């Protein structure tokens, strides 16, 4: 049986795969089983921040694998502590809980908001408000947080205590707070799965003010936007707000599973002994890889991410078959005249791997994609958009 046949026979059919089997890669170029090369404009959905099999990341991870690949959280390990220190120093926040995915990071944020609110405002204060068109994960609780009904329908009843409001509408949020006690608000500054939609800056600041004034925990979901993707280390940094909780995953690990729930001053001591846990959380190999990623997301790299994002926008805005280009940094959504799936299929035929998000083509290339490779990919995408 071919790999494709094996996969179709034995792997749960939750994914629609393209007829491409990737066997290796280097940086932003990956190779399939037939030896054909592709430019990777998706980075495993924003995970391989410095590309595939990046040598610095591989060295950091393999060095740690040769020392200790896993210990239980009953003992100290250096990569976990060092990564937590970096996340706090870079954000000005105070404590980190490590899990293994974006959904788990968000579950932790929700637990923090609920525990904090229950202690201060009573056990009937548990509602977490999220935004319509958001995406926060696939567990039953993070699905409840996700403001898109399409994801809900098969799995009701979902975890209670979630309400989603229209992004941009402060009146709706204020009115809601008259009828329910709000424990937390969770937002993505740029809605990724929702179609790469950057929220209005004034709205983001108004939500942050509202949360601070009402003792509501503000959590920013930086699972996709984090770790340099938007041209700042975390996307909230574009807006001058100070969230109580920042969750991140995807690009933090550079390719190994990791999720982090970073807690600011106000909620730093909410979680105490026995309140939460994870067998793999803080895994030393995953943390060693993440340290190597964070140490490279410096001012120079971030400026480069912004420059490359502007280049993509300038090339595609107003191009034939392109209705609009949205996003921040190297997180880009392209609304195309042709169906996005057709554009992506044409790109694959011409050696470029792209993603979609709702009705858009989505690009999340490696943060260090070389200019020359980016230029070639954009040319292919442009042709595919024109049809
Ligand atoms: C991908 C994503 C998640 C879920 O992350 P998993 O690692 O798949 O659990 C949550 N929030 C946002 C914004 C995401 O993009």
């Amino acid at each position: 049986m071919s790999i494709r046949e094996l996969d179709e026979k034995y792997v749960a059919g939750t994914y629609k795969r393209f007829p491409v089997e990737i066997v290796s890669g280097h940086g932003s170029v990956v190779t399939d089983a037939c030896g054909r090369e592709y430019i990777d404009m998706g980075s495993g959905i924003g995970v391989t921040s410095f590309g595939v099999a990046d040598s610095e990341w591989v060295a950091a991870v393999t060095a740690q694998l040769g020392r200790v690949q896993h210990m239980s959280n009953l003992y100290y390990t250096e990569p976990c502590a060092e990564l937590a220190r970096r996340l706090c120093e870079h954000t000005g926040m105070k404590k980190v809980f490590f899990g293994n995915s974006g959904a788990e990071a968000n579950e932790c944020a929700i637990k923090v908001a609920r525990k904090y609110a229950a202690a201060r405002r009573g056990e009937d204060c548990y509602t977490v408000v999220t935004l319509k068109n958001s995406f926060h994960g696939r567990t039953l609780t993070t699905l409840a947080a996700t403001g898109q009904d399409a994801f809900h329908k098969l799995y009701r009843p979902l975890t209670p205590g979630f309400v989603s409001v229209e992004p941009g509408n402060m009146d709706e949020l204020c009115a809601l707070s008259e009828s329910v006690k709000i424990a937390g608000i969770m937002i993505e500054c740029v809605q990724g799965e929702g179609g790469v939609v950057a929220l209005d800056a004034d709205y983001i600041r108004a939500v942050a003010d509202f949360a601070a004034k009402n003792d509501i925990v503000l959590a920013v979901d930086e699972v996709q936007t984090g770790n340099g993707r938007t041209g700042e280390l975390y996307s909230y940094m574009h807006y001058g707000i100070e969230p109580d909780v920042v969750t991140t995953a995807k690009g933090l690990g550079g390719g190994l599973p990791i999720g982090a729930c970073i807690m600011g001053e106000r909620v730093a001591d909410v979680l105490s002994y026995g309140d939460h846990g994870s067998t793999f959380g803080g895994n030393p190999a995953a943390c060693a890889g993440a340290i190597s990623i964070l140490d490279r997301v410096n001012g120079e790299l971030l400026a480069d991410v912004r420059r490359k994002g502007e280049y993509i926008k300038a090339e595609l805005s107003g191009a034939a078959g392109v209705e609009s280009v949205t996003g921040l940094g190297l997180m880009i959504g392209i609304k195309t005249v042709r169906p996005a799936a057709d554009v992506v299929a044409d790109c694959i035929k011409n050696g470029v791997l792209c993603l979609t998000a709702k009705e858009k083509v989505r690009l999340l290339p490696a943060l260090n994609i070389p200019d020359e490779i980016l230029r070639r990919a954009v040319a292919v995408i442009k042709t595919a958009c024109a049809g």
Side-chain angles (χ1 to χ4, degrees):
M1 265 195 237
S2 70
I3 295 301
R4 182 175 174 177
E5 287 163 340
L6 271 180
D7 189 294
E8 279 167 7
K9 180 151 190 220
Y10 292 112
V11 177
T14 58
Y15 304 106
K16 190 170 158 220
R17 300 197 204 276
F18 292 102
V20 174
E21 182 201 339
I22 301 299
V23 292
S24 65
H26 188 69
S28 288
V29 177
V30 295
T31 306
D32 76 6
C34 310
R36 187 159 178 234
E37 290 189 339
Y38 301 83
I39 300 175
D40 179 12
M41 293 295 282
S43 309
I45 316 194
V47 167
T48 49
S49 299
F50 287 88
V52 170
D54 169 72
S55 53
E56 272 184 58
W57 180 85
V58 169
V61 171
T62 50
Q64 184 58 43
L65 287 175
R67 289 196 281 270
V68 53
Q69 82 277 33
H70 175 79
M71 271 316 286
S72 80
N73 277 309
L74 297 173
Y75 310 98
Y76 297 103
T77 53
E78 182 185 314
C80 171
E82 281 291 348
L83 177 59
R85 175 165 75 100
R86 281 168 172 74
L87 289 169
C88 289
E89 285 181 356
H90 292 330
T91 58
M93 298 176 84
K94 300 296 176 203
K95 298 261 188 194
V96 184
F97 178 86
F98 289 112
N100 315 285
S101 65
E104 283 171 89
N106 288 338
E107 291 261 350
C108 181
I110 293 160
K111 285 188 172 183
V112 168
R114 286 198 170 163
K115 190 180 172 204
Y116 175 85
R120 294 179 58 102
R121 292 160 60 210
E123 296 213 335
D124 60 339
C125 183
Y126 53 74
T127 296
V128 174
V129 177
T130 62
L131 300 183
K132 296 254 185 321
N133 199 45
S134 59
F135 183 83
H136 297 296
R138 297 276 195 168
T139 63
L140 284 172
T141 296
T142 55
L143 272 183
T146 292
Q148 299 188 59
D149 264 343
F151 291 102
H152 296 161
K153 55 183 192 297
L154 302 173
Y155 302 113
R156 295 203 169 91
L158 302 175
T159 307
F162 288 86
V163 179
S164 59
V165 298
E166 202 59 51
N169 187 341
M170 271 316 286
D171 293 343
E172 187 184 1
L173 180 58
C174 294
L176 179 68
S177 72
E178 304 288 315
S179 56
V180 297
K181 289 172 97 174
I182 301 175
I185 301 174
M186 182 150 71
I187 61 167
E188 298 157 271
C189 294
V190 184
Q191 296 184 323
E193 303 302 312
V196 199
V197 183
L199 298 187
D200 177 69
D202 289 336
Y203 177 71
I204 291 173
R205 286 189 279 263
V207 169
D209 281 348
F210 176 82
K213 285 202 186 90
N214 294 284
D215 204 18
I216 293 167
V217 173
L218 176 66
V220 178
D221 179 342
E222 299 267 6
V223 171
Q224 189 164 154
T225 51
N227 314 296
R229 173 58 52 193
T230 68
E232 288 284 354
L233 183 58
Y234 292 102
S235 67
Y236 77 82
M237 294 171 174
H238 289 282
Y239 304 99
I241 61 166
E242 283 185 27
D244 300 301
V245 178
V246 169
T247 60
T248 192
K250 291 197 169 95
L252 175 63
L256 283 175
I258 188 168
C261 176
I262 314 168
M263 293 162 278
E265 185 89 61
R266 196 141 69 97
V267 295
D269 299 321
V270 170
L271 294 182
S272 51
Y273 172 64
D275 285 349
H276 198 24
S278 164
T279 299
F280 284 110
N283 170 272
C287 289
I291 289 170
S292 87
I293 298 287
L294 275 189
D295 284 354
R296 293 162 75 185
V297 184
N298 53 25
E300 194 184 332
L301 181 96
L302 292 171
D304 235 29
V305 167
R306 295 193 290 268
R307 176 181 62 77
K308 287 171 188 172
E310 290 308 319
Y311 165 77
I312 298 174
K313 279 191 176 168
E315 282 290 313
L316 293 174
S317 300
V322 174
E323 286 185 3
S324 62
V325 187
T326 58
L328 261 184
L330 285 175
M331 179 171 178
I332 301 258
I334 310 163
K335 191 151 189 295
T336 51
V337 175
R338 301 171 67 205
D342 295 354
V343 173
V344 169
D346 277 4
C347 286
I348 292 191
K349 278 190 209 138
N350 292 300
V352 174
L353 304 180
C354 301
L355 304 166
T356 58
K358 279 197 145 169
E359 77 291 355
K360 291 184 186 166
V361 176
R362 174 173 42 158
L363 309 179
L364 301 170
L367 305 181
N368 65 341
I369 186 170
D371 286 329
E372 167 56 19
I373 294 180
L374 179 60
R375 196 186 55 72
R376 272 162 41 208
V378 168
V380 167
I381 294 163
K382 226 172 166 174
T383 306
C385 289

